Structures are given as structure tokens and as C-alpha cells.
């Protein structure tokens, strides 16, 4: 899973000028093609799809890990990051259509899911929860991966 604050990998898409954190990828059609001549445009309805890199319990500006040992606090920071990055890209939490939540221990679900649910109250995205053996750093216990829509201005 990707880490918030990183620059996009070469060929992964372009950094959106609205996001100064570099964690928000606005994928171009060419970068998402699955093969020669494939068309995998990320347009849905009247808006554009937005894929955020997985967000963890790390402050976007300082890079400081938040809530070491506390999955609920890490989920809170991850969702604050998601909200901030969506808004920088011209979207908002109400436009989330898919969420994947990764936790490093099955028992963390009880602490993490209510936090995420509070941030997404009234929003009903497709959701998946996964228990994984580890994330990119040992102190990270939770990662939230979100897909949203940037609504058309019209």
C-alpha cells in the first residue's frame, strides 16, 4: 500500500496541482490502460473518479506518526487526511464511493470501524475490510484507501 505524502511513482499518473501533498493521484487514461488499445477512463457519471493513496496515522504536513499503538487514533488521523486530500482535489467525504480499510490485527476492527463510520455518517460506499500481517512501517496499524468522485461544476 502507498504512503501519504509520497510523490507518484513514474508512470502512475500525474500529481494534481490542487493537492500540494502529492498523495492525491489524478490518474490519466494512458496511465490506467490495462493493455494496448485498452480504454480505462476514470470517468463516472458527470464527474471524475479520484483515487487517494492509502492514508495512515501520519500527519500530512509534518510526517509525524500519530497514535502509535492506538488503532482508533490512527484511524482518526487517516480519515482527517482523507477529508483534507479530497477537499484539496475538489471533492468531499460525501462523494466517497469505495473504501478499503486495512488493519494489522483482527481485534482492531472494533476500534477502527466506528471511527470511520463517524466520518462517513450518511455515506454508503462499497467497503472492504482486510486484516493484513503488516503495513509499510511497524507502528502503522491502520490504512484507509478511498475512491471518490469529483463532481462536475455544472
Amino acid at each position: 500500500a502507498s504512503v501519504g505524502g509520497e510523490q507518484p511513482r513514474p508512470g502512475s499518473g500525474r500529481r494534481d496541482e490542487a493537492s500540494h501533498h502529492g498523495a492525491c493521484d489524478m490518474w490519466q487514461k494512458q496511465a490506467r490502460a490495462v493493455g494496448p488499445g485498452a480504454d480505462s477512463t476514470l470517468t463516472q457519471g458527470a464527474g471524475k473518479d479520484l483515487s487517494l493513496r492509502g492514508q495512515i496515522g501520519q500527519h500530512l504536513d509534518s510526517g509525524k506518526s500519530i497514535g502509535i499503538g492506538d488503532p482508533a487514533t490512527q484511524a482518526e488521523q487517516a480519515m482527517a487526511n482523507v477529508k483534507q486530500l479530497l477537499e484539496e482535489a475538489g471533492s468531499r467525504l460525501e462523494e466517497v464511493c469505495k473504501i478499503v480499510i486495512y488493519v494489522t490485527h483482527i481485534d482492531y476492527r472494533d476500534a477502527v470501524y466506528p471511527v470511520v463510520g463517524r466520518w462517513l455518517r450518511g455515506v454508503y460506499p462499497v467497503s472492504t475490510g482486510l486484516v493484513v500481517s503488516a503495513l509499510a512501517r511497524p507502528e502503522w496499524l491502520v490504512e484507509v484507501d478511498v475512491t471518490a468522485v469529483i463532481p462536475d461544476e455544472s
Side-chain angles (χ1 to χ4, degrees), residues 1 7 32 70 90 96 128 149:
Q7 294 296 318
R32 293 288 301 215
D70 182 353
V96 171
T128 300
V149 173

Side-chain angles (χ1 to χ4, degrees), residues 55-59 64-67 73-75 77-78 81 140 142:
Q55 295 301 305
I56 39 76
Q58 186 178 47
H59 192 273
K64 178 182 176 188
S65 289
I66 307 294
T73 300
Q74 289 188 20
Q77 181 64 49
N81 293 351
W140 295 340
V142 178

Side-chain angles (χ1 to χ4, degrees), residues 33-90:
V34 294
D39 182 4
S40 55
T41 304
L42 290 178
T43 301
Q44 178 179 358
K48 299 177 191 170
D49 284 355
L50 170 67
S51 296
L52 296 182
R53 293 175 184 231
Q55 295 301 305
I56 39 76
Q58 186 178 47
H59 192 273
L60 285 175
D61 292 319
S62 72
K64 178 182 176 188
S65 289
I66 307 294
I68 294 175
D70 182 353
T73 300
Q74 289 188 20
E76 192 74 40
Q77 181 64 49
M79 290 305 296
N81 293 351
V82 166
K83 181 180 187 297
Q84 180 178 341
L85 293 168
L86 288 174
E87 289 174 355
E88 287 178 5

Side-chain angles (χ1 to χ4, degrees), residues 97-109:
C97 54
K98 181 178 180 182
I99 185 168
V100 180
I101 303 168
Y102 302 88
V103 294
T104 58
H105 193 281
I106 197 164
D107 292 342
Y108 295 161
R109 296 177 308 166

Side-chain angles (χ1 to χ4, degrees), residues 98-149:
K98 181 178 180 182
I99 185 168
V100 180
I101 303 168
Y102 302 88
V103 294
T104 58
H105 193 281
I106 197 164
D107 292 342
Y108 295 161
R109 296 177 308 166
D110 292 338
V112 170
Y113 289 1
V115 171
V116 173
R118 190 174 64 254
W119 281 88
L120 294 177
R121 181 165 287 134
V123 181
Y124 304 100
V126 173
S127 62
T128 300
L130 297 170
V131 179
V132 297
S133 60
L135 295 171
R137 291 192 185 166
E139 68 268 24
W140 295 340
L141 308 175
V142 178
E143 184 168 330
V144 179
D145 185 4
V146 173
T147 302
V149 173

